[in-house]
Amino acid sequence: MSACEKPQGPNAGLTPSRRSVLIGAVAGALAPQMAVAAGAGSVTNAPESDTLDQRRPFHGEHQPGIVTPRPAAGLVAAFDVLAQNRAGLQRLLRTLTERSAFLMAGGTPPALDPKFPAADSGILGPVVTPDNLTITTSFGASLFDERFGLQDLKPRHLTRMASFPNDALKEEFCHGDLLLQFSSNTPDTNIHALRDIVKNTPDSLLLRWKQEGSVPVRQPDPGKPKQSARNFLGFRDGSANPDASDAELMKRIVWVQPGGGEHAWATGGSYQVVRLIRNFVERWDRTPLQEQQTIIGRQKASGAPLEGGEGEADVPHFANDPEGKTTPLDAHIRLANPRDAEAQKHLILRRPFNYSNGVSKSNQMDMGLLFIAYQADLEQGFIAVQNRLNGESLEEYIKPFGGGYFFALPGVKDDQDYLGRALLDMAATHA
């Protein structure tokens, strides 16, 4: 071989065997990059989660989804009941019981003749995963009418939600004969459950309005106190919420007890308040932090009260600030709960979600709070608290526009029971 025929370049002089080793090493080094390139088309792969098999019990003295820890996604849907008599209402309630129990447990829907509609929408795949789902059924005041002979059995305090001074209620987003609350780890699980129930009740329910919501998910922080989720104003929502794991406290605050002027069928149920509250986030985001904090009465970052606290769970000492120099007298937390003996009579259990509905007609972000609260006495609970809040400084930044008052039914005790059975049995004896 002449000089001009000698191998040139970085591999010059390598024997065939050494050249093979080098090529193999280069290929090995490039393999991860090639895999990444090859995987570029996998952006549509489904996200994965190890919580899809989480499930909550359906049967019990109380319905799930009330004192159940709140997951990341929520949805409420209000309906008009199309049933014309008590037998039709009973059929609806049995169907709701059956579908709720299946959806919360998960399972494989039956395979039907493909010439007919499928048993399931399929949006979760061929197997329905429970995904921590709870479904809570509640009645509105309008259900207790002559259609079903329930006029004399309405819960004592249940009424149609009236407008408060700062409200701008829109009829198309208010009230309803029946309300379903869905909560789960993911929005699609809630949507799947809603569609399942609508599919199975075509002659019994007519969807009136619905609202989806979510709460921010936090990274676990072992060894440190749990924190309330933040709302779209950036503050923690639920800092002074009663402890839902305290059964005796829940008996006093949330669950209707025997006696007290309520019908026997209502024992174990709870009054539910749903409020759709728009937040004027553009205006809020341009408000100085100090002003935001005095409006709410808490530090934005930590959640600690302005008066006498370093952490979110600390109790504010309003007695040390009688003139409101630190925490203004019209601060939200001071009006909502003055921390005195009288305030103990008006505690409620909040279970809210944030909502975002796109853009308003005025080209502003349409977002806010899907407020949900439970209490044993509607008048002593939410209504009393809201009357204290009328005129608060926060009203400049919020506008309630929808929702309603409902009564969450007692729980379904076993496989032989169904939602509302005690009510319908009592109605039959009164007929």
Side-chain angles (χ1 to χ4, degrees):
M1 179 180 292
S2 65
C4 63
E5 294 175 323
K6 288 183 179 180
Q8 304 295 315
N11 293 336
L14 293 179
T15 65
S17 60
R18 290 183 65 195
R19 186 175 293 111
S20 297
V21 170
L22 178 61
I23 291 172
V26 172
L30 291 176
Q33 299 177 43
M34 294 170 65
V36 170
S42 65
V43 294
T44 56
N45 285 356
E48 296 181 347
S49 170
D50 60 1
T51 64
L52 294 178
D53 288 329
Q54 288 182 347
R55 56 175 52 84
R56 297 284 176 180
F58 173 70
H59 296 106
E61 181 182 1
H62 311 293
Q63 281 198 80
I66 299 177
V67 298
T68 308
R70 178 187 55 181
L75 185 158
V76 295
F79 298 84
D80 294 325
V81 172
L82 302 179
Q84 295 299 306
N85 51 46
R86 197 181 305 146
L89 179 60
Q90 182 185 55
R91 179 166 58 86
L92 165 62
L93 293 175
R94 286 186 179 276
T95 300
L96 284 177
T97 302
E98 174 190 335
R99 299 316 303 162
S100 297
F102 169 76
L103 293 165
M104 284 180 54
T108 303
L112 304 179
D113 188 329
K115 295 178 182 178
F116 297 94
D120 186 79
S121 65
I123 65 174
L124 298 184
V127 177
V128 175
T129 47
D131 197 25
N132 204 21
L133 174 69
T134 61
I135 303 175
T136 311
T137 301
S138 307
F139 286 168
S142 55
L143 191 82
F144 294 86
D145 61 14
E146 65 281 353
R147 287 175 294 171
F148 314 115
L150 304 179
Q151 305 96 307
D152 298 329
L153 297 175
K154 187 173 68 171
R156 180 182 178 188
H157 303 292
L158 186 60
T159 185
R160 182 183 175 92
M161 185 176 72
S163 181
F164 291 94
N166 190 47
D167 291 359
L169 300 182
K170 301 177 181 179
E171 182 66 22
E172 63 268 30
F173 295 111
C174 293
H175 317 303
D177 290 334
L178 183 146
L179 184 123
L180 297 177
Q181 173 195 266
F182 304 87
S183 303
S184 70
N185 293 330
T186 53
D188 293 273
T189 296
N190 294 334
I191 293 170
H192 171 268
L194 172 63
R195 286 176 56 177
D196 181 282
I197 288 174
V198 168
K199 168 185 168 59
N200 284 282
T201 58
D203 60 344
S204 301
L205 289 177
L206 179 66
L207 187 60
R208 184 180 178 91
W209 56 269
K210 78 175 181 71
Q211 180 61 64
E212 298 175 48
S214 63
V215 290
V217 176
R218 296 187 68 257
Q219 186 76 16
D221 199 354
K224 293 189 177 181
K226 297 290 186 181
Q227 298 180 13
S228 301
R230 295 184 185 272
N231 57 32
F232 277 157
L233 299 180
F235 283 79
R236 296 178 184 172
D237 198 313
S239 298
N241 222 22
D243 182 0
S245 66
D246 186 332
E248 289 302 314
L249 184 61
M250 293 300 98
K251 283 183 179 180
R252 181 171 71 86
I253 295 174
V254 173
W255 307 121
V256 169
Q257 300 299 308
E262 295 284 5
H263 298 287
W265 74 263
T267 298
S270 184
Y271 287 93
Q272 179 191 46
V273 174
V274 177
R275 300 267 284 173
L276 309 182
I277 306 174
R278 171 89 179 274
N279 292 164
F280 300 124
V281 293
E282 290 92 348
R283 184 185 306 168
W284 181 257
D285 290 343
R286 298 183 183 107
T287 300
L289 175 60
Q290 182 177 1
E291 184 176 348
Q292 289 185 1
Q293 293 182 154
T294 57
I295 287 172
I296 300 298
R298 291 186 179 276
Q299 299 286 343
K300 193 170 189 177
S302 67
L306 299 181
E307 174 60 45
E310 297 181 357
E312 179 186 6
D314 292 340
V315 178
H317 303 305
F318 295 141
N320 297 337
D321 183 30
E323 298 179 3
K325 293 182 178 180
T326 302
T327 306
L329 299 179
D330 65 348
H332 182 78
I333 70 167
R334 192 160 191 163
L335 292 175
N337 186 348
R339 270 71 177 184
D340 55 20
E342 179 65 22
Q344 292 299 307
K345 302 176 184 177
H346 309 298
L347 297 179
I348 60 177
L349 182 71
R350 288 170 287 164
R351 202 173 185 270
F353 295 89
N354 300 324
Y355 82 81
S356 181
N357 288 343
V359 182
S360 71
K361 293 181 179 179
S362 59
N363 299 105
Q364 293 185 318
M365 288 179 278
D366 183 358
M367 57 179 56
L369 188 68
L370 169 54
F371 176 91
I372 304 172
Y374 295 92
Q375 55 263 285
D377 186 322
L378 181 59
E379 292 182 1
Q380 289 292 311
F382 171 79
I383 293 176
V385 172
Q386 182 56 52
N387 281 329
R388 282 203 305 256
L389 290 171
N390 288 338
E392 65 172 327
S393 298
L394 185 60
E395 288 185 348
E396 181 182 349
Y397 302 92
I398 64 174
K399 183 62 66 175
F401 67 91
Y405 298 152
F406 302 90
F407 188 82
L409 300 173
V412 177
K413 294 181 172 56
D414 52 42
D415 290 336
Q416 307 305 310
D417 196 9
Y418 64 90
L419 288 161
R421 181 188 61 78
L423 169 61
L424 296 190
D425 285 353
M426 186 171 290
T429 63
H430 280 63

